[in-house]
Amino acid sequence: MTKKDRGRADARFNKADSGKIERDAALKAVTDNMAKLKALRLAREAAEPLRPPATVKKTRAKSKKPEEKGSGIGGLAGEPTERRTPDLRLFV
């Protein structure tokens, strides 16, 4: 291999890929933007007062008298009055 060939090989090897440069620049811009947004979010959370922990509301159980259970419309208020699909255990 002559000196001229080595020089060409070195130039080809050391040549910067323009697509790679663009990708690296885009990656850096995205990473910087994410870091900036995270810093803003953390600053906003630090500035706001602490919130008390959320409490779960307990619902009271409604007691119904047996006379008031049925409304005359079957299946809307509670359990369905009859099965709509056949019982598959009968066919086994």
Side-chain angles (χ1 to χ4, degrees):
M1 188 184 257
T2 65
K3 184 176 183 181
K4 183 179 178 183
D5 292 336
R6 264 187 261 132
R8 270 196 232 143
D10 287 341
R12 200 174 314 125
F13 180 73
N14 293 331
K15 184 173 118 177
D17 182 22
S18 64
K20 184 180 184 311
I21 292 172
E22 290 174 10
R23 284 191 306 270
D24 289 346
L27 177 66
K28 184 175 179 352
V30 169
T31 306
D32 290 345
N33 191 25
M34 287 175 31
K36 182 179 78 170
L37 291 174
K38 183 177 181 180
L40 289 171
R41 179 180 54 85
L42 291 174
R44 185 186 69 228
E45 288 176 358
E48 68 185 21
L50 292 176
R51 297 180 187 164
T55 58
V56 178
K57 287 186 175 181
K58 294 183 179 180
T59 58
R60 288 189 329 181
K62 295 181 180 179
S63 61
K64 290 188 177 181
K65 296 179 183 174
E67 302 87 47
E68 298 175 5
K69 251 189 179 178
S71 63
I73 303 173
L76 290 181
E79 293 291 321
T81 56
E82 63 183 39
R83 288 184 181 226
R84 299 194 187 271
T85 58
D87 193 1
L88 298 177
R89 290 179 288 183
L90 298 175
F91 300 114
V92 178

